[in-house]
């Protein structure tokens, strides 16, 4: 099926708008906050959202079937002063001029914002929370070359949820309203514990009305547009839109189209309530399936119509954007992605495969739209149908890096090991990039912080002294030059890790308490189990399951470094600790020979070799167990992950030279993937190495990136072999894998930086070679062919 | 004979090989070949003893190898270090001291058991794909004992086995391996004996004869034809080859288009690459493919 003309033109139209700032939300929320000072925060938040939804500009674009906008025009980003006041003010002059992620903003708008932002001074998490830290933790927080990067939830709302969309599709906000009213009537207001519950319920009631009213505004607008529309078919479409928006999300959805429109209102308002990232639609093909199959069976819907509606939702998802926070001094920038993860296939609560016709249409929608959102994923298990995997591989082949693949066979048991019951574990979805999270009921704080394992090793090798600043920032674990055994190195490293983890937890728990105080989120709480049952906002711990998930970064660099020390220093004695530490201190300046020895003459993680693989396992497991012993203020546990988003680049920027031959400032390895250029034995060896890392302990997620040259995916046969690789991945019980189909540009980069691209295998005419070892002429030839193949 | 301890000279083990037999396979490359095909893309496979290769773009010019070579066989030149092959004893000392990996040794002696272990590591991938091991070369049957041992060991462990061969060996050697070989990827380069000899160094009669006998014995054969422009791609030879394939009862063919990716390896080995021809155009390959199909043989370009 090809996308319809409507879809093509909607997509084109979306791309035609420049990125810009929209000030409406900032103006409206400030107005509301000024009026509600002194009231309970949860009520203030509800009233503020209500004001925004009532007053913000709305539009219905030409040809749209699914309606609802986040800002005054497509590609405009609203401002969230309640979290961003300070950084927005600081970056106001650079938004429109910086080289990456530019946002246009007029002088007049800047003036409006400057006026507003002064109101928010000392009212944001960013300003309030760090002051609450104990002195030692605060020093660690303020380091120029930090070990811990805990700032995402300091500078933004938390987000990272898979709320219960199905509840609203089934019951509507009308249903929520009734339930809340009954709850309120049953509560004795004189009981102390009921005071805050009643406030929360009042807030939810305000929300229910605000949301229904918002939809009515679209119904009115659609009717108005219909009355002046000359084209009869568009006139009819507008009338339909009006009718649908009159009905949902106040009432239960009756048709597939109503369900999609109601879904879109939810997804949209989540992004108007807060600036949290990774608000994930989750098991979209599951909760929409009943509407889809019923309409199909009753002849109310054709597959073509369903596809077009889905395509429209896909476009809408890309219309929601966020102002990106790039401090003007930032050297590296990983990029902002909304990470709205939508996952297809997998098993249901009873363990049955539930891949359905809608799952296929969703894959097709992604192929039609080819834009970053949603972050598309699939759930793989031992009985995933072959036909589905063929479709998946076809999409992988297009080179967009989607979908990511998650393994039911390991994720379900590992969630259970975190205390999640079987039913909920089987109903998991993915939040953000890779974080397995039960649907409907979990506040996982899944991207809480990045923890730099590479930096910990640096500190362990220099007695706690940072090689970039020359300052002692870590524990004094001893002069590594005097170490006489590998165990001493390992033990110094582990001490640094434990020490910094404790400080990280102190930071995150502080932020957590401040979020509960300053940014309750009554809208999303209204359809997140068990907030209503408990009468408690999500931010305070209202969800059924609560976690905090910080990620360890640099696993492969640490494993390779420890392997080099173990084999070259202590076993083969080709180098003394003294020589090693000196070379590291000098960033290998004038000692390229030592660097190459470390890089080339010790085994590396990613090649199915025992020593580095087991060290990776030991380091990963140590990090995970240390993190998992802590608790958060919402009554939940810490849940470790081993994935980087894009932080392996900036985090590498603060780490000095390491014993794997990595020079100062070079990016760290990505998730549990091997160090770039070090896995030279192909994908099966990588998978085997990675399988030795204890995935079940990294319950907040792991990430594995595999590069493929398009020539390895040419024929149907090649694709079948990739499917076999995926089935093996499933049996090996790895959590996540994603494929990067190499582009001509990647190859050009490899020509410029051969050392870090030694893993790039190309297969041309059945002939395999490491790309960087070919001579220039051949490389050029392959680049040409690559361009041709994608 | 303790087959596990049989040793072979191996220059590469390549995993996730997807074009040399069914499923996901591990390719074991043995060193040594009686043929000298002008187009050979793996010149490091030809000689039956280890060799040093020089990868100039990795060299950092530290000079250690030159200083340390006991035979004084290495000299620095404007195009990189050059090894005087007549002096080099392949002691490997320079390789050990070259941290840049600009010097590498091609060919290590390994026991069949060690290689088996290496192959079995990827077992899970074979299980899911119906893959296994393909022994390639060089010419595997020049290391007859090792090839036999490895095939037998693999087969005993339930692995799918394939051999990629030039067919230039005594029939008895191949026959001994027959019970342990699921698939022969069998190269036929030219049907004319003189032309064959001129461009590969050997006559083709043994090859043709072995193919016939193997097929008659019921071995599973896929005939591989490297398409070398100007050598074997005349209409006449192509038709003759297909007819021969049919005549001996083989139903599968692979067409392997000539490429020049091996060229730089000749330089790394200090040898000369003599061919000046260009790879066949894609259209040309397709037309050959159609011709073979029309004559009723299942055919693919590249492997499967
Ligand atoms: S030892 Fe290696 S890097 Fe040094 S000069 Fe010799 S070949 Fe080049
Ligand atoms: S292998 Fe030995 S003899 Fe040959 S060049 Fe190297 S050091 Fe010299």
């Amino acid at each position: 099926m090809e996308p319809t003309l409507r879809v093509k033109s909607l997509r084109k139209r979306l791309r035609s708008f420049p990125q810009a700032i929209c000030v409406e939300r900032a103006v409206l929320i400030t107005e509301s906050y000024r009026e509600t000072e002194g009231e309970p925060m949860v009520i203030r938040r509800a009233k503020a959202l209500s004001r925004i939804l009532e007053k913000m500009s709305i539009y219905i674009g030409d040809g749209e079937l699914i309606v609802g906008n986040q800002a005054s025009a497509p590609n405009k980003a609203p401002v969230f002063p309640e979290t961003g006041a300070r950084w927005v003010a600081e970056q106001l002059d650079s938004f429109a001029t910086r080289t990456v992620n530019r946002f246009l903003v007029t002088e007049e708008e800047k003036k409006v914002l400057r006026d507003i932002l002064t109101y928010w001074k000392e009212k944001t998490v960013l300003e309030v929370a760090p002051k609450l830290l104990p002195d030692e933790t605060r020093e660690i927080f303020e380091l120029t070359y930090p070990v811990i990067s805990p700032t995402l939830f300091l500078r933004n709302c938390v987000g990272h949820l898979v709320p219960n969309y199905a509840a609203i599709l089934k019951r509507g906000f009308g249903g929520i309203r009734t339930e809340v009213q009954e709850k309120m009537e049953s509560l004795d207001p004189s009981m102390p514990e009921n005071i805050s519950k009643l406030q929360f319920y009042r807030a939810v009631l305000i929300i229910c009305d605000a949301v229904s009213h918002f939809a009515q505004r679209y119904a009115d607008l659609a009717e108005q547009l219909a009355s002046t529309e000359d084209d009869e078919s568009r006139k009819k479409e507008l009338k339909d839109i009006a009718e649908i928006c009159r009905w949902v999300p106040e009432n239960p959805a009756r048709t597939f189209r109503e369900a999609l429109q109601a879904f879109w209102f939810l997804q949209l308002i989540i992004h108007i309530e807060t600036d949290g990232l990774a608000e994930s639609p989750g098991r979209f093909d599951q909760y929409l399936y009943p509407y889809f199959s019923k309409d199909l069976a009753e002849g109310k819907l054709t597959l073509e119509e369903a596809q077009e509606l889905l395509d429209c939702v896909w476009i809408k998802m890309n219309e929601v954007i966020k102002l990106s926070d790039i401090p003007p001094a930032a050297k590296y920038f990983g990029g902002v992605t909304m990470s709205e993860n939508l996952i297809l296939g997998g098993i249901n609560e009873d363990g049955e495969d539930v891949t359905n016709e809608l799952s296929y249409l969703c894959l097709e929608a992604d192929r039609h739209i080819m834009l970053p959102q949603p972050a598309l994923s699939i759930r793989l298990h031992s009985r995933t149908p072959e036909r589905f995997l063929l479709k998946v591989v076809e999409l992988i082949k297009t080179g967009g890096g989607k979908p990511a693949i998650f393994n039911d066979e390991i994720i379900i048991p590992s969630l259970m090991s975190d205390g999640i019951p079987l039913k909920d574990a089987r109903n998991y979805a993915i939040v953000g990039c890779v974080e397995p999270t039960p649907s409907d009921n979990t506040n996982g704080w899944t991207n809480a912080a990045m923890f730099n394992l590479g930096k910990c090793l640096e500190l362990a090798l220099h007695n706690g002294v940072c090689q970039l600043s020359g300052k002692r920032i870590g524990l004094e674990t001893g002069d590594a030059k005097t170490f006489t055994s590998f165990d001493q190195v390992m033990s110094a490293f582990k001490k640094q890790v434990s020490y910094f983890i404790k400080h990280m937890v102190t930071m995150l728990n502080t932020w957590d308490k401040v979020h509960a105080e300053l940014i309750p989120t009554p809208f999303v709480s209204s359809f997140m189990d068990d907030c209503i049952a408990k009468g408690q906002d999500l931010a305070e711990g209202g969800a059924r399951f609560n976690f905090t998930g910080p990620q360890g970064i640099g696993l492969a660099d640490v494993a390779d470094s420890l392997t080099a020390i173990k084999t070259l220093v202590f076993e083969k004695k080709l180098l003394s600790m003294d020589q090693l530490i000196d070379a590291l201190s000098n960033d290998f300046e004038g000692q390229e020979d030592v660097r190459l020895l470390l890089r080339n003459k010790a085994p590396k993680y990613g090649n199915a070799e025992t020593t580095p693989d087991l060290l990776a396992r030991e380091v990963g497991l140590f990090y995970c167990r240390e993190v998992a012993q802590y608790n958060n203020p919402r009554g939940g546990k810490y849940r470790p992950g081993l994935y980087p988003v894009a932080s392996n680049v900036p985090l590498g920027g603060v780490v000095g030279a390491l014993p794997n031959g990595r020079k100062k400032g070079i990016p760290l390895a990505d998730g549990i993937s091997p160090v770039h250029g070090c896995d030279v034995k192909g994908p099966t060896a990588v998978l085997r190495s990675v399988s030795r890392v204890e995935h079940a302990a990294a319950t907040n997620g792991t990430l594995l990136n595999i590069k493929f040259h398009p020539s390895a995916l040419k024929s149907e046969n090649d694709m079948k072999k990739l499917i076999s690789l995926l089935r093996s991945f499933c049996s090996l019980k790895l959590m996540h894998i994603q494929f990067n189909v190499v582009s001509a540009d990647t190859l050009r980069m490899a020509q410029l930086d051969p050392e870090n691209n030694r893993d790039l295998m190309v297969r041309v005419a059945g002939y395999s070679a490491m790309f960087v070892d070919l001579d220039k002429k051949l490389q050029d030839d392959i680049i040409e062919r690559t361009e041709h193949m994608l | 004979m303790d087959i596990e301890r049989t040793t072979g000279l191996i220059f590469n083990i390549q995993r996730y090989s997807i074009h040399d037999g069914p499923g996901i396979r591990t390719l074991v490359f043995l060193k040594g070949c009686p043929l000298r095909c002008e187009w050979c893309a793996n010149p490091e496979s030809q000689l039956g003893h280890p060799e040093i290769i020089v990868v100039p773009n990795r060299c950092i010019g530290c000079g250690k190898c030159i200083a340390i070579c006991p035979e004084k066989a290495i000299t620095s030149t404007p195009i990189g270090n050059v090894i005087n092959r007549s002096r080099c004893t392949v002691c490997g000392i320079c390789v050990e001291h070259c941290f840049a990996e600009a010097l590498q040794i091609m060919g290590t002696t390994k026991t069949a058991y060690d290689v088996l272990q290496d192959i079995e590591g990827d077992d899970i991938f074979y299980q899911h794909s119906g893959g296994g091991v393909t022994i390639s070369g060089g010419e595997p049957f020049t290391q007859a004992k090792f090839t036999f041992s490895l095939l037998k060991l693999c087969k005993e462990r339930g692995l799918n086995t394939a051999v990629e061969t030039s067919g230039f060996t005594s029939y008895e050697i191949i026959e001994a391996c027959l019970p342990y070989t699921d698939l022969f990827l069998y190269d036929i380069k030219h049907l004319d004996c003189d032309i064959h000899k001129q461009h590969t160094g050997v006559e083709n009669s043994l090859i043709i004869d072995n193919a016939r006998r193997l097929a008659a014995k019921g071995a599973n054969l896929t005939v591989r034809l490297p398409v070398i422009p100007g050598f074997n791609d005349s209409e006449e030879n192509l038709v003759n080859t297909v007819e021969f394939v049919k005549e001996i009862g083989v139903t599968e063919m692979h067409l392997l288009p000539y490429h020049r990716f091996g060229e730089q390896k000749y330089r790394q080995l200090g040898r000369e690459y003599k061919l000046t021809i260009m790879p066949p155009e894609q259209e040309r390959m397709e037309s050959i493919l159609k011709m073979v199909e029309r004559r009723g043989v299942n055919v693919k370009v590249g492997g499967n």
Side-chain angles (χ1 to χ4, degrees):
Chain A
M1 236 190 277
E2 279 307 298
T4 61
L5 285 178
R6 176 205 312 277
V7 168
K8 283 186 190 159
S9 79
L10 284 173
R11 186 183 184 282
K12 203 165 150 207
R13 181 163 167 271
L14 174 63
R15 308 287 284 168
S16 72
F17 288 91
Q19 282 199 145
I21 288 179
C22 170
V23 299
E24 281 187 6
R25 185 188 180 281
V27 171
L28 294 167
I29 191 172
T30 311
E31 213 175 88
S32 173
Y33 262 61
R34 282 197 161 115
E35 287 167 20
T36 58
E37 269 175 36
E39 293 183 41
M41 191 48 95
V42 68
I43 306 266
R44 295 183 74 190
R45 297 284 303 164
K47 284 186 174 170
L49 179 61
S50 174
R51 170 72 53 90
I52 298 164
L53 296 180
E54 191 189 332
K55 292 282 166 61
M56 64 178 271
S57 309
I58 62 166
Y59 60 82
I60 294 175
D62 279 349
E64 280 189 344
L65 294 176
I66 301 293
V67 302
N69 54 288
Q70 185 196 23
S72 52
N75 284 342
K76 277 197 157 190
V79 174
F80 294 77
E82 65 270 45
T83 45
R86 198 167 96 188
W87 64 258
V88 171
E90 283 166 2
Q91 294 169 36
L92 208 46
D93 287 320
S94 70
F95 284 125
T97 55
R98 64 196 184 193
T99 47
V100 286
N101 264 274
R102 254 184 225 168
F103 285 84
L104 301 179
V105 54
T106 64
E107 285 307 317
E108 205 176 312
E109 286 166 330
K110 279 197 213 170
K111 192 175 166 307
V112 172
L113 283 175
R114 277 206 186 90
D115 287 349
I116 292 170
L117 296 176
T118 48
Y119 169 79
W120 294 92
K121 210 165 172 13
E122 303 304 320
K123 294 188 177 71
T124 62
V125 185
L126 178 57
E127 286 152 307
V128 173
K131 291 186 188 136
L132 304 177
L133 294 176
D135 289 346
E136 198 184 340
T137 310
R138 193 159 170 190
E139 272 170 33
I140 289 172
F141 169 69
E142 285 169 351
L143 288 172
T144 320
Y145 303 107
V147 182
I148 304 157
S149 306
T151 54
L152 188 64
F153 298 166
L154 197 57
R155 301 170 78 92
N156 305 278
C157 292
V158 176
H160 290 81
L161 302 168
V162 194
N164 193 348
Y165 297 92
I168 302 292
L169 301 188
K170 279 187 208 139
R171 301 163 58 208
F173 279 93
I176 304 288
R177 190 185 291 106
T178 315
E179 184 187 351
V180 168
Q181 279 163 346
E182 283 167 14
K183 284 268 181 208
M184 289 174 86
E185 275 158 30
S186 72
L187 283 186
D188 176 351
S190 68
M191 305 277 280
E193 68 272 22
N194 288 345
I195 296 173
S196 61
K197 287 187 185 174
L198 285 165
Q199 286 166 0
F200 172 70
Y201 289 137
R202 273 176 57 212
V204 174
L205 289 183
I206 294 170
I207 292 288
C208 290
D209 292 348
V211 171
S212 293
H213 179 70
F214 185 58
Q216 298 306 319
R217 290 182 66 200
Y218 282 93
D220 293 345
L221 177 60
E223 267 168 18
Q224 192 193 318
L225 290 171
S227 70
T228 58
E229 176 63 59
D230 295 332
D231 182 299
E232 278 309 313
S233 69
R234 182 61 184 159
K235 201 184 188 81
K236 164 89 174 54
E237 282 168 12
L238 286 162
K239 284 186 173 163
D240 289 346
I241 291 171
E243 205 184 302
I244 290 166
C245 294
R246 290 255 177 262
W247 188 256
V248 289
E250 173 66 14
N251 300 293
R254 296 165 299 190
T255 63
F256 183 58
R257 186 162 164 195
E258 283 183 358
L260 286 177
Q261 180 63 60
F263 161 79
W264 178 244
F265 275 129
L266 297 176
Q267 188 65 7
L268 174 67
I269 299 171
I270 288 175
H271 286 107
I272 297 175
E273 182 179 40
T274 78
D275 63 346
L277 292 169
E279 307 286 16
S280 301
R283 306 192 76 182
F284 186 87
D285 63 338
Q286 300 306 311
Y287 53 79
L288 281 159
Y289 186 69
Y291 305 93
F292 169 79
S293 61
K294 180 165 168 281
D295 282 9
L296 221 53
E298 290 174 1
K300 283 189 205 153
L301 181 76
T302 65
L303 284 177
E304 289 74 20
E305 285 164 348
Q307 186 69 62
E308 185 173 51
L309 287 167
L310 287 172
D311 290 1
C312 288
V313 170
W314 252 243
I315 288 171
K316 272 290 174 194
M317 291 192 71
N318 287 283
E319 212 180 281
V320 165
I321 60 170
K322 181 180 176 345
L323 189 56
S324 39
D325 171 14
I326 311 174
K331 274 211 206 101
Y332 302 96
F333 175 64
V336 162
T337 157
M338 301 301 290
S339 295
E340 297 170 65
N341 203 306
L342 188 153
I343 195 160
L344 308 171
I347 61 171
N348 66 6
E349 291 181 356
D350 302 324
E352 308 266 354
D353 173 66
V354 283
T355 312
N356 59 43
E357 217 39 53
L358 192 53
S359 322
Y360 290 88
L361 297 196
C362 289
L363 286 179
E364 189 70 4
D366 214 73
R367 204 176 64 84
H368 285 171
I369 307 304
M370 286 283 198
L371 289 174
Q373 301 310 318
L376 193 71
S377 302
I378 69 135
R379 279 178 51 168
L380 179 61
H381 60 97
S382 58
R383 285 152 298 137
T384 297
E386 195 77 359
R387 174 167 86 103
F388 188 58
L389 282 182
L390 259 173
K391 276 277 167 201
V392 165
V393 170
E394 268 170 29
L395 189 57
I396 289 174
K397 204 179 150 173
T398 61
K402 293 205 261 179
I405 294 151
F406 293 88
N407 190 354
D408 284 6
E409 309 293 339
I410 177 70
I411 291 178
I412 293 167
S414 70
L415 284 170
M416 291 175 72
S417 76
D418 267 337
I420 306 285
L422 177 64
K423 267 192 163 185
D424 288 300
R426 281 178 168 169
N427 198 24
Y428 83 89
I430 295 297
V431 155
C433 301
V434 297
E435 304 98 276
T437 304
S439 303
D440 309 340
N441 55 26
T442 302
N443 186 6
W445 271 58
T446 61
N447 204 2
M450 298 293 162
F451 185 89
N452 200 329
L453 292 163
K455 189 80 188 168
C456 289
L457 182 61
E458 177 199 326
L459 296 175
L461 293 172
H462 301 281
N463 206 4
V465 176
C466 167
Q467 295 303 291
L468 280 80
S469 66
K471 289 192 196 131
R472 170 155 304 155
I473 63 169
L475 287 181
E476 290 188 47
T477 43
D479 178 0
K481 289 185 176 179
T482 66
F483 288 173
T484 52
S485 73
F486 177 68
D487 290 347
Q488 278 175 293
V489 178
M490 192 57 139
S491 139
F493 168 69
K494 286 182 175 172
K495 279 184 198 144
Q496 302 286 357
V497 171
S498 308
Y499 171 75
F500 284 104
I501 285 178
K502 190 160 188 168
H503 286 292
M504 172 172 72
V505 170
T506 310
M507 291 176 205
L508 295 176
N509 282 351
T510 307
W511 303 176
D512 207 327
K513 288 196 83 84
V514 174
H515 270 277
E517 228 170 82
L518 295 184
I519 318 189
T521 51
F523 169 70
V524 76
S525 299
S526 71
F527 56 112
M528 181 64 101
D529 305 348
D530 301 318
C531 292
I532 291 188
K534 293 202 236 169
Q536 195 178 31
D537 191 275
L538 194 66
E540 292 192 318
R544 190 177 308 157
F545 305 112
N546 287 281
F547 296 106
T548 302
Q551 299 12 294
I553 317 291
L555 181 68
D557 297 272
V558 171
D560 287 350
S561 294
L562 291 171
T563 304
I565 297 175
K566 190 171 189 212
T567 57
L568 301 176
V569 178
F570 291 108
E571 286 169 13
K572 297 190 181 156
K573 304 200 190 315
L574 292 172
L575 195 69
S576 68
M577 275 312 272
D578 211 59
Q579 285 171 306
L580 173 68
I581 305 298
D582 278 342
L584 295 174
S585 304
N586 299 327
D587 194 23
F588 302 112
E589 218 44 68
Q591 283 163 291
E592 182 64 3
D593 199 39
V594 175
R595 194 184 76 77
L596 288 171
L597 170 69
L598 293 164
R599 171 91 184 188
N600 292 334
K601 296 288 176 178
K604 295 283 178 285
Y605 171 70
N607 298 293
E609 299 218 34
T610 309
T611 308
D613 292 358
L614 289 185
L615 283 168
R617 179 185 169 83
E618 183 175 347
V619 170
L621 203 53
F622 182 77
Y623 173 76
C624 290
R625 289 196 174 142
E626 281 292 296
V627 167
Q629 42 174 343
Y630 292 97
N631 297 311
N632 66 30
R634 284 166 285 118
K637 285 189 352 158
Y638 271 70
R639 200 165 72 123
L642 292 168
Y643 70 86
V645 193
S647 67
N648 58 314
V649 178
L651 262 60
V654 303
V655 180
L658 291 179
N660 60 338
R662 172 196 157 284
K663 295 187 76 165
K664 179 174 80 186
I666 302 292
L668 294 167
D670 179 0
I672 51 171
S673 315
V675 172
H676 289 305
C678 283
D679 51 319
V680 295
K681 294 198 176 154
T684 61
V686 172
L687 260 59
R688 282 165 56 196
S689 283
V690 167
S691 74
R692 298 188 91 161
V693 175
E694 185 58 89
H695 284 66
T699 48
N700 201 48
T702 64
L703 181 143
L704 172 63
N705 245 319
I706 298 249
K707 282 188 213 137
F708 259 93
H709 189 259
S711 55
L713 291 172
K714 232 164 91 184
S715 67
E716 200 179 313
N717 223 321
D718 298 344
M719 286 163 56
K720 288 215 175 109
K721 295 195 183 181
L722 181 57
I723 292 178
S724 314
L725 189 74
L726 288 174
R727 299 262 186 218
S728 313
F729 152 89
C730 191
S731 301
L732 282 167
K733 304 215 188 306
L734 309 184
M735 257 186 195
H736 161 273
I737 191 167
Q738 66 194 25
F739 295 93
N740 209 329
V741 178
V742 171
S743 67
D745 281 340
T746 312
L747 297 177
R748 286 194 192 96
M749 285 288 292
Q751 277 185 319
L752 300 176
D753 178 16
E755 181 173 292
N756 289 304
N757 289 286
R758 277 206 196 158
D759 53 341
L760 252 185
M761 195 187 293
V762 289
R763 288 188 162 79
V764 181
Y767 174 84
S768 296
M770 292 303 174
F771 180 75
V772 298
D773 285 344
L774 300 173
D775 58 21
K776 176 83 171 50
K777 215 171 70 192
L778 283 174
Q779 289 180 343
D780 290 342
D781 183 61
I782 289 176
I783 289 174
E784 218 167 278
R785 290 170 189 238
T786 306
E787 236 146 27
H788 183 70
M789 271 183 278
L790 261 179
Chain B
M1 175 177 68
D2 183 351
I3 65 168
E4 289 186 353
R5 269 182 292 177
T6 321
T7 56
L9 187 65
I10 289 156
F11 73 91
N12 191 10
I13 292 183
Q14 184 183 301
R15 303 199 177 106
Y16 198 69
S17 171
I18 57 174
H19 295 139
D20 298 281
I24 296 173
R25 309 188 74 80
T26 297
L27 244 64
V28 179
F29 290 94
L30 306 193
K31 206 158 150 43
C33 182
L35 278 66
R36 288 293 175 271
C37 305
E38 290 165 344
W39 56 86
C40 178
N42 288 330
E44 74 277 35
S45 75
Q46 292 177 339
L47 299 182
H49 57 75
E51 288 167 275
I52 307 293
I53 64 162
V54 186
V55 188
N57 53 5
R58 287 193 176 180
C59 174
I60 58 166
C62 69
K64 262 201 290 176
C65 54
I66 300 172
I68 210 157
C69 171
E71 310 299 329
K72 301 274 167 271
I74 309 178
T75 41
S76 165
T77 79
I79 53 153
N81 290 349
V82 172
I83 297 182
N84 181 338
R85 306 273 163 182
S86 58
R87 294 175 98 155
C88 171
T89 59
V90 202
C91 66
I93 293 177
C94 57
V95 174
E96 204 177 296
H97 284 83
C98 176
F99 298 158
E101 298 198 314
L103 298 171
Q104 294 169 25
I105 198 152
M106 281 289 137
T108 346
T109 302
K110 292 185 178 171
T111 67
Y113 182 75
D114 285 345
V115 177
L116 176 73
Q117 293 266 298
D118 214 342
I119 294 166
E120 278 195 306
D122 267 7
D123 192 43
I124 193 144
F125 303 97
Y126 313 144
Q127 285 175 30
H128 284 282
S129 67
V133 59
T134 299
I135 306 182
S136 181
E139 169 48 59
F141 292 118
T142 52
Q143 298 190 39
K145 272 190 202 156
F146 181 78
T147 298
F148 172 84
S149 306
L150 190 57
L151 285 169
K152 186 163 190 290
L153 287 171
C154 288
K155 203 70 241 156
E156 280 168 4
R157 281 159 176 78
L159 297 176
N160 179 287
T161 55
V163 179
E164 189 178 20
T165 177
S166 66
F168 192 81
T169 185
S170 82
Y171 179 71
E172 289 63 37
I173 289 177
I174 316 187
E175 195 185 31
C177 295
L178 205 83
Y180 311 113
T181 309
D182 294 313
L183 171 68
F184 290 90
L185 297 166
Y186 198 105
D187 264 27
I188 289 190
K189 294 166 177 102
H190 206 295
L191 282 198
D192 183 290
C193 194
D194 292 340
I195 301 180
H196 196 278
K197 169 129 202 213
Q198 207 181 331
H199 296 272
T200 70
V202 303
E203 291 181 356
N204 68 3
S205 33
L206 187 59
I207 297 169
I208 301 292
D209 199 41
N210 282 340
R212 211 184 284 279
R213 290 173 75 177
L214 263 180
K217 264 274 188 176
N220 180 15
L221 248 68
T222 292
V223 167
R224 292 191 141 184
L225 174 69
V227 179
I228 317 293
F231 162 66
N232 64 2
D233 67 338
S234 72
E235 210 56 27
E236 187 197 354
N237 183 57
L238 292 171
V239 169
N240 286 347
T241 307
V242 181
E243 288 311 313
F244 170 72
V245 164
K246 281 164 66 179
E247 181 200 315
I248 62 172
V250 168
T251 55
E252 305 287 330
M253 273 186 82
H254 292 165
L255 302 173
L256 308 178
Y258 166 73
H259 61 76
R260 300 180 63 94
F261 294 128
E263 189 178 352
Q264 67 169 1
K265 290 195 217 162
Y266 284 79
R267 280 195 295 281
Q268 294 173 352
L269 288 159
R271 290 186 221 160
E272 201 188 335
Y273 189 72
K274 296 201 183 81
L275 278 197
T276 52
I277 54 170
M278 292 314 284
E281 301 290 329
Q282 202 171 336
E283 296 85 81
R284 174 72 182 133
M285 290 308 298
E286 266 153 34
S287 90
I288 301 177
L289 182 95
K290 291 226 177 71
M291 183 278 284
V292 181
E293 263 170 1
R294 265 201 316 275
R295 288 176 182 265
V297 173
N298 298 322
V299 59
K300 287 194 184 89
V301 173
N304 51 335

